[in-house]
Amino acid sequence: MTEEAILQDRDYTVIIARSPGNDRPTSPEFKHAWEQARSRLLALCRQCAELDPDCLSLYNAAVPNSSVANPVSCASEAEIIALLDSYDPNQAIALEETVKLALDNYFTRKANGQTKVNGEIILVILDREPQNRVKLIKLLVEATQKMETQEELGITFIQVGDDALTRGFLKSLDDDLARAGARLDIADTQSMDELASGSLTDVLMGAIYD
């Protein structure tokens, strides 16, 4: 099967976890990193929307009081841009809860025969590590145990900025998920340098075949 065929007839979900950065002295660096990454991230979201023209799902993981908001179904480019550009120091990140919502949504639709033939790709755009590493790893491991094939579901975590703790966590997530009990390699990770230097198709294929 060609790359084009693998990426088509598939649902796409984008989760944006832009932290307020107000609890770190490097908060201006976070803001600058998102500004620098904006055009490439928007291009990636556009490609996902083209591959999933009927309904690209968009989640905001930065919400008031850590209460996860419902996804924007069939998100428009304007809604994607607004979320990439949004910055509210009063918001908190609920990354693990948001990933759980997206995974639950996929497996519920799968059980009801509502997923597309090739499955789904989830892109998680974040600038810092999750508050509860163990919870996120457990979610991914449990997801692999519900999968039937490697190709049906892939998740790529894309780091904005160069926070060292986040980079270290994502590297371990990419390399060591099997040691945590994952049955399949569901997670891929990308830095902004990698995203900028590679093709968007390669980024999406990496979600499936890391």
Side-chain angles (χ1 to χ4, degrees):
M1 187 180 294
T2 65
E3 290 184 349
E4 182 179 0
I6 291 171
L7 295 178
Q8 290 181 343
D9 206 2
R10 184 183 293 273
D11 289 311
Y12 287 81
T13 291
V14 176
I15 297 172
I16 298 179
R18 177 172 178 166
S19 66
N22 60 340
D23 60 344
R24 291 188 179 185
T26 57
S27 57
E29 295 179 15
F30 276 87
K31 186 174 185 294
H32 178 69
W34 281 92
E35 291 171 350
Q36 292 291 101
R38 184 182 186 275
S39 62
R40 192 61 171 171
L41 292 174
L42 182 56
L44 182 60
C45 291
R46 281 175 179 154
Q47 180 153 343
C48 292
E50 290 173 2
L51 291 165
D52 187 9
D54 60 336
C55 200
L56 172 69
S57 295
L58 181 67
Y59 288 80
N60 181 8
V63 291
N65 303 317
S66 297
S67 174
V68 179
N70 291 325
V72 177
S73 295
C74 307
S76 66
E77 182 167 318
E79 289 169 319
I80 294 170
I81 291 173
L83 191 48
L84 284 173
D85 292 345
S86 65
Y87 180 80
D88 185 345
N90 297 314
Q91 291 182 328
I93 297 296
L95 180 61
E96 305 92 316
E97 293 85 349
T98 309
V99 171
K100 183 178 187 304
L101 274 182
L103 289 171
D104 287 349
N105 181 282
Y106 171 74
F107 286 112
T108 297
R109 287 185 289 110
K110 179 183 176 182
N112 293 330
Q114 297 173 335
T115 51
K116 293 182 180 176
V117 172
N118 285 338
E120 183 161 336
I121 286 176
I122 299 172
L123 300 178
V124 182
I125 304 169
L126 72 167
D127 57 23
R128 64 174 56 185
E129 63 179 332
Q131 292 184 343
N132 191 329
R133 291 182 172 202
V134 174
K135 182 176 180 179
L136 181 61
I137 291 170
K138 183 178 179 181
L139 285 172
L140 299 179
V141 169
E142 290 176 348
T144 67
Q145 295 165 354
K146 300 175 185 178
M147 293 166 59
E148 297 175 49
T149 67
Q150 175 70 48
E151 294 79 10
E152 75 166 280
L153 180 63
I155 304 178
T156 291
F157 293 82
I158 300 171
Q159 181 185 359
V160 175
D162 56 3
D163 180 73
L165 290 176
T166 302
R167 186 69 241 155
F169 169 70
L170 292 182
K171 187 177 187 308
S172 67
L173 191 67
D174 199 349
D175 296 340
D176 302 330
L177 199 59
R179 297 179 189 175
R183 192 171 65 84
L184 297 167
D185 188 2
I186 194 176
D188 181 38
T189 64
Q190 295 271 332
S191 67
M192 280 310 305
D193 287 342
E194 292 168 328
L195 182 64
S197 62
S199 74
L200 298 180
T201 296
D202 287 344
V203 172
L204 297 178
M205 288 297 296
I208 307 168
Y209 301 113
D210 178 19

